[in-house]
Amino acid sequence: RLDKDSDELLHAILRNYTGVFSDDVYIDESMLAVRTGKSRKEVTEKLISLSRLRYIRYIPQKKTPFIVFTTSREETQFVSISRAVYEERKKRFEKRIHSMIGYVEEEAVCRSRMLLIYFDEKNPRDCGCCDVCLKKNETGLSNYEFRRIKEQVEMLLGDGQPRRINNLVDSVADENTEKVIRVIRFLIDAGELNLEDDRVSAKRSKNHR
């Protein structure tokens, strides 16, 4: 039968260290000494004694660095998350998921630019070496030319109304007709624009953030 001091020490361990039944855990002999009203030396000796009696398996502390958390860990059954906090976390998680899906599916915006925008970097630029940028280079346009024409096309189709290709091309100001056609063709192939009966319309914009 255990003596009173041993019983108090075991109870202190059980109260302060979760998971002690299933796996080895690091303990703080000094903290246990405070909780039981004993000296650190007495606690260590008592732990060694209990280990010899096979009540516990105790490995005395060596001069190995360890971390002590200043706040005790709450057990799962005692953790409560309010509905508002839960919904906010869910909303942020869904936003990250949609951003990831958009990053994977996007075929007209530079991958690097999308990442920089996501992390709120200012003045993002096309990298010129991702799959999207390399595909743009097939049009024979520079990134600057491509982006400038693309922005005008998107603005012209921003009202949601389909436009005939010829009318759309003519409406892009101060640009070479052949270059405009290349950009429109690229955007159609990339799924950014819809083409139906010689009319072009914009698809619903994606949210990359």
Side-chain angles (χ1 to χ4, degrees):
R1 183 177 179 179
L2 292 176
D3 58 72
K4 181 180 178 181
D5 291 343
S6 297
D7 188 63
E8 289 180 352
L9 179 57
L10 287 177
H11 275 80
I13 293 173
L14 293 173
R15 283 194 299 268
N16 291 278
Y17 298 100
T18 59
V20 70
F21 283 110
S22 59
D23 201 358
D24 292 340
V25 297
Y26 288 100
I27 63 172
D28 183 354
E29 289 89 343
S30 297
M31 184 271 288
L32 290 173
V34 173
R35 296 291 173 86
T36 58
K38 305 294 181 182
S39 67
R40 190 179 189 283
K41 181 180 179 181
E42 289 175 321
V43 168
T44 301
E45 290 175 349
K46 187 63 67 175
L47 289 170
I48 293 174
S49 175
L50 289 170
S51 182
R52 287 173 179 168
L53 294 172
R54 298 185 182 278
Y55 281 101
I56 62 173
R57 188 166 75 94
Y58 173 63
I59 302 174
Q61 179 182 333
K62 298 180 180 180
K63 294 182 179 179
T64 302
F66 64 94
I67 297 175
V68 177
F69 290 97
T70 57
T71 304
S72 61
R73 186 183 67 180
E74 293 290 344
E75 295 185 24
T76 305
Q77 61 266 33
F78 299 126
V79 176
S80 176
I81 301 177
S82 68
R83 184 71 180 180
V85 172
Y86 171 80
E87 291 295 338
E88 177 61 26
R89 290 183 179 180
K90 180 181 177 182
K91 184 178 179 181
R92 291 202 302 265
F93 179 76
E94 290 176 343
K95 188 176 181 180
R96 291 197 296 269
I97 292 297
H98 289 314
S99 296
M100 180 61 70
I101 293 174
Y103 178 82
V104 173
E105 294 182 345
E106 179 59 59
E107 296 183 359
V109 179
C110 169
R111 307 288 182 195
S112 178
R113 176 183 289 271
M114 290 177 65
L115 288 174
L116 292 173
I117 292 174
Y118 179 83
F119 290 109
D120 294 323
E121 292 289 336
K122 296 181 179 179
N123 303 318
R125 298 181 179 180
D126 291 354
C127 67
C129 57
C130 70
D131 62 311
V132 176
C133 288
L134 292 176
K135 189 179 292 185
K136 286 180 185 178
N137 289 338
E138 295 177 2
T139 64
L141 280 67
S142 67
N143 286 333
Y144 173 73
E145 288 179 310
F146 183 93
R147 188 166 60 253
R148 184 178 61 196
I149 295 173
K150 178 176 180 288
E151 288 173 353
Q152 286 199 61
V153 171
E154 290 176 339
M155 182 183 67
L156 291 167
L157 297 175
D159 57 4
Q161 298 299 317
R163 286 173 173 261
R164 291 191 178 278
I165 293 180
N166 291 340
N167 177 264
L168 180 61
V169 172
D170 293 339
S171 299
V172 177
D174 303 322
E175 297 293 348
N176 178 277
T177 299
E178 179 61 29
K179 291 182 178 180
V180 176
I181 292 174
R182 290 180 192 174
V183 172
I184 293 175
R185 184 183 297 119
F186 174 86
L187 295 175
I188 292 172
D189 292 341
E192 293 291 305
L193 300 179
N194 289 320
L195 174 62
E196 186 174 353
D197 297 331
D198 196 37
R199 291 179 179 273
V200 180
S201 60
K203 282 193 174 182
R204 186 177 180 180
S205 61
K206 299 178 182 178
N207 183 7
H208 301 302
R209 287 299 308 275

